[in-house]
Amino acid sequence: MGDEEGVNEDRYAAFLRGERPDDILIYLHEEGVGPIEELAEIGVRVDDGVVLVLPGDDGRAAFQRATGLDAMDFAGMAMNTEGEIDDDCTGGTCPDADSSDDHYAKFVFAFVEEQNEAVGGIYAEGDVCHGYAACACGTTYSEKSVLDAR
C-alpha cells in the first residue's frame, strides 16, 4: 500500500497545483460517509476524512456512488450560494455558520479549469479551482478561486 499511497498523495498535490485539469477531487468527511478505510486505500487520508483525485468520468461516478447526487447537479445547486472552500479542498466555511458544531463540510467536489485569458476575469489570472461543498447543516455553497492566489 505504501507505493499506492505515495501515488495518491502526488496526484492530490498535483491537483492542488492545477496540474490535473482533467481530474475531479472528492473530499468525504468521515462523519458523512461512514467507514472510510476502503476509500483511504484509493485516496489520501486527511485529518477527518479522505480525498480522492480521479479522472473526470470516474470522479463524477465515484461522487454519485458516495453521495447519491449527480456531481454536476450538485455543483449547479451549490453555486447559488457563495462560501469559502479550504485551499486543500477538505472543508470550508459555511455561509450559515453560527456557534454550533453542526457546521462542517460533509463532502467537497472540485475541479480545475486552466487559465484562459480569452475568457477574462479570474480565468485570465491563472488556473481556477471550482469547489462545491455540502455542510452538515444542509447548506450547499461554492467558491471559485485562482490557484496562484490561494
Side-chain angles (χ1 to χ4, degrees):
M1 182 172 102
D3 288 343
E4 184 63 27
E5 184 176 322
V7 168
N8 293 334
E9 289 175 1
D10 290 347
R11 189 179 305 142
Y12 177 36
F15 178 91
L16 295 176
R17 290 190 305 267
E19 297 170 7
R20 299 189 67 89
D22 295 329
D23 287 356
I24 301 294
L25 178 144
I26 305 165
Y27 161 76
L28 302 165
H29 191 280
E30 61 193 2
E31 298 295 324
V33 295
I36 60 170
E37 288 76 25
E38 288 181 28
L39 290 173
E41 290 179 19
I42 61 169
V44 176
R45 183 73 164 103
V46 293
D47 287 342
D48 53 5
V50 67
V51 173
L52 307 172
V53 177
L54 302 166
D57 289 341
D58 293 341
R60 285 184 287 278
F63 179 83
Q64 186 161 2
R65 282 192 306 273
T67 66
L69 300 169
D70 176 82
M72 298 317 286
D73 288 347
F74 170 69
M77 181 175 55
M79 72 177 15
N80 292 325
T81 305
E82 283 191 37
E84 293 180 22
I85 304 295
D86 294 349
D87 289 349
D88 64 1
C89 296
T90 63
T93 303
C94 176
D96 293 336
D98 53 25
S99 61
S100 77
D101 291 334
D102 293 337
H103 293 280
Y104 64 89
K106 288 180 11 183
F107 52 86
V108 174
F109 169 75
F111 63 90
V112 172
E113 196 168 340
E114 293 178 291
Q115 181 174 2
N116 186 340
E117 293 182 17
V119 173
I122 66 170
Y123 298 98
E125 297 173 25
D127 298 334
V128 175
C129 183
H130 296 252
Y132 307 92
C135 183
C137 76
T139 297
T140 60
Y141 57 96
S142 67
E143 180 182 30
K144 288 188 283 191
S145 59
V146 177
L147 289 175
D148 295 338
R150 292 163 43 142

